[in-house]
């Protein structure tokens, strides 16, 4: 295929024809190719509106597919390929980041019950991934691979929890995040944030749970 002649022809086409070609090209690309060509555009797009029921349904489908191994593509690791990350692993983390961002939008709009349900599923999946369940594959995996600002997602989750959860429910949902943050050198300051957001009863219940299970809350 002659590149010069091809682009001379394309330069004479109208916008609708070129856009249709782009859609066709996008459909033919794999995840890495899409990220290379369109990634800079995707990073500046405003978040899509997410209806609570629809988002929860999408996230439940994501959980089902994740647990079914749809994103798990193992390979024999050696000294030459140990840094390779399968396309499916990249895609899983990208979708996870998008879902966390969309769930935070629910918090912003006051749809706290849907937000709590969505965040709950996502953080269960994150915990399973970090515990080594066969969800995605790479030589090293961790929360550093989640795109976007996870601290803001955690703040949104805690705000929605504080709005709708009983003290016991708040503590039960927040405690795994506090534990995880202690393992990650308190990167997201989860305990301090939770104690600021919670009401008195929720705060007391979380504090009691932290003492009971002996979780560190600071460096």
């Amino acid at each position: 295929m002659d590149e010069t002649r091809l682009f001379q022809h394309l330069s004479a086409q109208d916008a609708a024809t070129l856009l249709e070609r782009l859609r066709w090209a996008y459909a033919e690309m794999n995840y890495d190719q899409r990220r290379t060509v369109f990634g800079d555009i995707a990073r500046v797009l405003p978040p899509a509106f997410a209806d609570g029921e629809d988002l929860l349904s999408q996230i439940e489908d994501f959980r089902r597919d994740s647990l079914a191994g749809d994103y798990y593509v193992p390979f024999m690791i050696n000294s030459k390929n140990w840094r390779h990350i399968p396309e499916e692993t990249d895609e899983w983390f990208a979708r996870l980041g998008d879902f966390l961002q969309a769930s935070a939008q629910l918090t912003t709009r006051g749809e706290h019950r849907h937000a709590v349900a969505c965040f709950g599923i996502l953080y269960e999946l994150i915990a399973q991934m970090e515990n080594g369940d066969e969800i995605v594959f790479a030589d090293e995996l961790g929360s550093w691979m989640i795109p976007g600002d996870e601290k803001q997602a955690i703040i949104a989750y805690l705000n929605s929890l504080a709005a709708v959860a009983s003290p016991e429910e708040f503590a039960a949902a927040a405690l795994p995040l506090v534990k995880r943050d202690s393992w990650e050198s308190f990167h997201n300051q989860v305990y301090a944030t939770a104690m600021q957001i919670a009401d008195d009863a929720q705060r007391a219940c979380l504090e009691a749970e932290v003492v009971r299970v002996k979780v560190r809350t600071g460096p």
Side-chain angles (χ1 to χ4, degrees):
M1 183 179 297
D2 187 314
E3 179 181 349
T4 301
R5 291 179 60 209
L6 173 64
F7 280 89
Q8 283 176 345
H9 173 76
L10 290 175
S11 67
Q13 305 304 304
D14 59 52
T17 300
L18 293 175
L19 187 59
E20 183 59 31
R21 285 283 178 180
L22 276 173
R23 288 197 182 96
W24 190 1
Y26 182 90
E28 292 296 315
M29 291 176 176
N30 62 35
Y31 175 79
D32 287 338
Q33 290 168 335
R34 290 171 182 170
R35 184 172 58 177
T36 298
V37 175
F38 300 107
D40 58 331
I41 299 173
R43 282 190 291 272
V44 300
L45 288 175
F49 177 85
D51 170 80
E53 283 290 342
D54 180 59
L55 181 62
L56 181 57
S57 177
Q58 292 180 48
I59 289 174
E60 287 171 340
D61 288 346
F62 179 62
R63 172 173 59 183
R64 183 199 63 226
D65 294 343
S66 297
L67 298 180
D70 287 11
Y71 297 91
Y72 185 73
V73 183
F75 59 91
M76 291 296 296
I77 296 174
N78 57 46
S79 60
K80 295 182 179 180
N81 68 7
W82 65 273
R83 298 183 65 180
H84 173 67
I85 297 175
E87 176 187 333
E88 291 80 2
T89 298
D90 279 336
E91 183 179 358
W92 188 84
F93 278 103
R95 295 201 70 196
L96 175 67
D98 288 344
F99 283 137
L100 287 171
Q101 184 181 40
S103 299
Q105 291 179 55
L106 297 181
T107 299
T108 300
R109 296 203 302 272
E111 297 184 50
H112 296 300
R113 293 198 180 278
H114 279 125
V116 166
C118 291
F119 277 123
I121 292 172
L122 295 173
Y123 276 101
E124 283 178 11
L125 278 176
I126 290 170
Q128 289 171 293
M129 176 272 296
E130 292 184 326
N131 287 336
D133 289 9
E134 294 183 348
I135 293 176
V136 287
F137 186 86
D139 186 45
E140 292 186 7
L141 294 168
S143 59
W144 68 87
M145 299 173 71
I146 301 172
D149 188 343
E150 196 201 352
K151 185 175 182 178
Q152 293 305 310
I154 291 172
I155 291 171
Y157 185 15
L158 292 171
N159 270 295
S160 285
L161 274 172
V164 300
S166 69
E168 294 77 15
E169 290 168 341
F170 183 89
L175 187 63
L177 299 178
V178 174
K179 287 182 180 178
R180 177 170 169 258
D181 195 46
S182 72
W183 302 330
E184 297 178 350
S185 302
F186 311 100
H187 173 71
N188 288 311
Q189 300 179 321
V190 174
Y191 182 72
T193 302
M195 295 300 275
Q196 290 173 357
I197 290 171
D199 64 26
D200 289 345
Q202 292 166 338
R203 192 179 300 117
C205 198
L206 177 58
E207 185 176 15
E209 280 298 287
V210 164
V211 171
R212 183 182 67 82
V213 299
K214 300 179 181 179
V215 179
R216 293 173 61 233
T217 58

